[in-house]
Amino acid sequence: MAGVSEDREVPVPEAGRSKGPGRVGRASLGALSGLITGLAALCSAELVSPAVRPEASPVTAVGGAVVDRTPPWLKDFAVRHFGTDDKLVLQLGILALLSVFAMAVGVAALRHRKAGSAAVLLFGAVGAMAAAGRPDGGPLDALPSVVGGLLGCGVLYLLSGRPALRPSRTVGVAGGKDGTPGAFDRRGFVVAATAAVAASAGAGVLGLRLNASGAAEAAAARKDIVIPRPASYARPIPAGADLRIHGLIPFTTPTKDFYRVDTALVVPKVDARNWQLRIHGKGVSKPMTVSYHDLLQRELIERDITLTCVSNQVGGPYVGNARWTGVRLADLLSEAGVKPPSEGGPADQLVARSVDGMTIGSPVDTVMDGRDAMLVLGMNGEPLPFAHGFPVRMLVPGLYGYVSACKWLTDLELTTFDDYDAYWVKRTWSRRAPIKTESRIDTPRPFASPAAGKVPVAGVAWAQHRGIAEVQVRVDGGTWHTAELAAEDTKDTWRQWMWEWPATPGSHTIEVRATDRDGCTQTDKRVGTVPDGATGWHSVVVAVT
Ligand SMILES: Nc1nc2c(c(=O)[nH]1)N[C@H]1C(S)=C(S)[C@@H](COP(=O)(O)O)O[C@H]1N2
Ligand SMILES: [Mo]
């Protein structure tokens, strides 16, 4: 086809063959070839990835590898400034960086055709290493990147070989002396480039569709799930647990507002029908493998539990309270023959492993000390949402999420803290991390300007599995006032509080501190989130009018 149309164009030199573009024009075309190369590489990789798994596609794999290597302070920074959007920001950043490199390689390929094309292979290698090196990665995960790299290499080699891009010596009528721009086969370049873009887009869309189809099946299967009635219901929430003050977070966090913190760039969409959980390791006399169906058949408990992230800054949003339904973890472990160290068991660490390779270690003694540690199936009256760990996650009241709340759970191994460091521990976070007693001012908001007079100051306080005994508020470093506490639901849930402030005009600083039922009052000493949770008093500055 191309040949035919080219022949036809011969009598019209301006359209088919014209003087080549200048230096800048050529560089632009080189950059464009680079971009097309990148597109072709990524799209072909996307098309191959469903054959392995969605997470093996290069941008996701490289993003995941970046997440794995992100130092705690940077992770904290990202979580603080972008929230759950940190993942979108990361992937867009990788795409932007890749585009810049692609353009540079495209320009370089004008002069060094083979070297430029070979450089594309290098990018494929980076993707391949990232994918295979993820905690849950294997050699097969390298396949999409390898294919993308090879294809991209070929595309760049072809594109950079178009006469349009070469300072031609011989081609065409206008060419003359060595190195001068010769005839410009614009049509040829446009045809090749368009074909590459079209083929890439087709491959990319098909790949995305195939990747989505597995997820769609899992989602359809999830819709059919009905969590049976629990054998043990949650205690009804006392009438006075929610003070219903404007600006104060509700007692039960709606699922859509529940914070999300994890390393997954693609939320795993596990099909519950194929899901299995293995329980094995030190001191497990009866290793078990249970299915989702098995868990649904067991006695279920329902509990209100407040979950907190260790990355939550003083006053931060990474805390939420929900109603969870699931199986008592201690019962399951006992059935497997597990004894806690306090009863002579050989394992002091329970390592939970997720389908995406996350590992989270919890103390066996804590999990089996009678608290409502559970394998969660339901959240706020429906099957767990995918983002919160469907089909099954762990939850241990009183422990930060990173040492207790493994989502997309698939394996429980009994081991020791001496023998094994879980994912976050390898990244400088503490092995053991009970949730610290904390309090937060929700209203007034920082820099609010309430009218002088009675201003409700309200917020939440939490000290999971100890309970909140008292909350105090002070203004401008004055005397502490005891806040009114909302009715206590359980010691595993947060507690709202309120103090009516007789506010006078001017700028004021409000501070809060809580005391737990162990009698410990929050320290004013400010420490950051690493390695085991932030401390300090939350304060808010307002300008009363
Ligand atoms: N598989 C997996 N589980 C995980 C994590 C993760 O990154 N991957 N993050 C943990 C952390 S740090 C917290 S605070 C909780 C957050 O749970 P949520 O996203 O449902 O609020 O999940 C925990 N479970
Ligand atoms: Mo966390």
Side-chain angles (χ1 to χ4, degrees), residues 75 259 261 308-311 401-402:
K75 177 213 162 213
Y259 80 91
V261 171
T308 309
C309 181
V310 72
S311 291
Y402 87 102

Side-chain angles (χ1 to χ4, degrees), residues 125-464:
V126 169
M129 269 158 28
R134 294 293 328 269
D136 56 337
L140 201 58
D141 290 316
L143 190 65
S145 293
V146 168
V147 170
L150 285 171
L151 207 103
C153 173
V155 166
L156 187 59
Y157 190 76
L158 287 179
L159 284 180
S160 57
R162 303 305 307 181
L165 296 179
R166 305 201 66 74
S168 168
R169 287 141 211 260
T170 51
V171 183
V173 283
K177 294 167 226 143
D178 274 4
T180 57
F184 174 38
D185 178 16
R186 180 183 292 156
R187 172 138 309 205
F189 177 77
V190 169
V191 167
T194 309
V197 169
S200 303
V205 168
L206 186 60
L208 287 172
R209 283 235 179 129
L210 288 174
N211 273 333
S213 72
E217 271 180 39
R222 177 180 171 274
K223 277 222 168 67
D224 292 337
I225 293 168
V226 178
I227 310 275
R229 287 169 175 280
S232 162
Y233 282 92
R235 161 162 6 157
I237 299 168
D242 204 324
L243 298 174
R244 296 177 194 284
I245 292 169
H246 184 74
L248 171 59
I249 199 163
F251 178 77
T252 299
T253 313
T255 303
K256 66 172 182 9
D257 299 331
F258 205 96
Y259 80 91
R260 181 187 153 205
V261 171
D262 56 58
T263 59
L265 291 182
V266 177
V267 172
K269 299 279 170 62
V270 179
D271 193 325
R273 293 168 299 189
N274 311 324
W275 177 87
Q276 286 193 323
L277 171 69
R278 201 176 145 223
I279 304 176
H280 61 112
K282 277 201 182 76
V284 181
S285 54
K286 284 165 265 164
M288 295 166 77
T289 301
V290 292
S291 68
Y292 189 73
H293 186 74
D294 294 338
L295 289 184
L296 286 180
Q297 303 297 303
R298 298 179 72 97
E299 257 191 20
L300 301 182
I301 60 169
E302 177 194 70
R303 295 290 182 265
D304 292 332
I305 297 167
T306 301
L307 179 62
T308 309
C309 181
V310 72
S311 291
N312 194 49
Q313 298 284 332
V314 169
Y318 300 115
V319 51
N321 181 57
R323 178 156 287 190
W324 313 91
T325 311
V327 171
R328 281 188 72 91
L329 182 52
D331 293 351
L332 211 60
L333 293 178
S334 298
E335 271 181 47
V338 175
K339 284 202 175 77
S342 56
E343 290 170 26
D348 63 358
Q349 182 177 214
L350 174 66
V351 174
R353 192 171 274 104
S354 73
V355 299
D356 65 334
M358 171 57 62
T359 50
I360 286 183
S362 317
V364 176
D365 264 332
T366 309
V367 167
M368 300 186 79
D369 73 355
R371 70 184 74 199
D372 295 317
M374 58 202 276
L375 296 184
V376 175
L377 307 168
M379 178 181 189
N380 289 336
E382 44 157 5
L384 268 180
F386 287 107
H388 294 288
F390 182 83
V392 177
R393 77 176 303 167
M394 223 174 97
L395 213 57
V396 184
L399 302 185
Y400 283 119
Y402 87 102
V403 285
S404 67
C406 188
K407 306 195 275 189
W408 313 295
L409 182 66
T410 187
D411 188 283
L412 286 173
E413 180 174 0
L414 277 295
T415 177
T416 63
F417 281 104
D418 280 347
D419 281 350
Y420 186 77
D421 282 340
Y423 183 92
W424 299 106
V425 175
K426 289 193 186 102
R427 290 162 178 78
T428 74
W429 298 84
S430 294
R431 292 196 169 78
R432 296 166 190 262
I435 298 172
K436 294 179 180 175
T437 302
E438 279 290 327
S439 53
R440 185 181 79 193
I441 301 166
D442 282 357
T443 183
R445 297 247 164 256
F447 311 115
S449 43
K454 287 178 181 171
V455 173
V457 178
V460 279
W462 59 88
Q464 288 93 322

Side-chain angles (χ1 to χ4, degrees), residues 314 436 438 521-528 533-538:
V314 169
K436 294 179 180 175
E438 279 290 327
T521 301
Q522 269 179 260
T523 169
D524 65 331
K525 209 178 130 200
R526 281 246 169 193
V527 305
T535 65
W537 297 334
H538 187 211

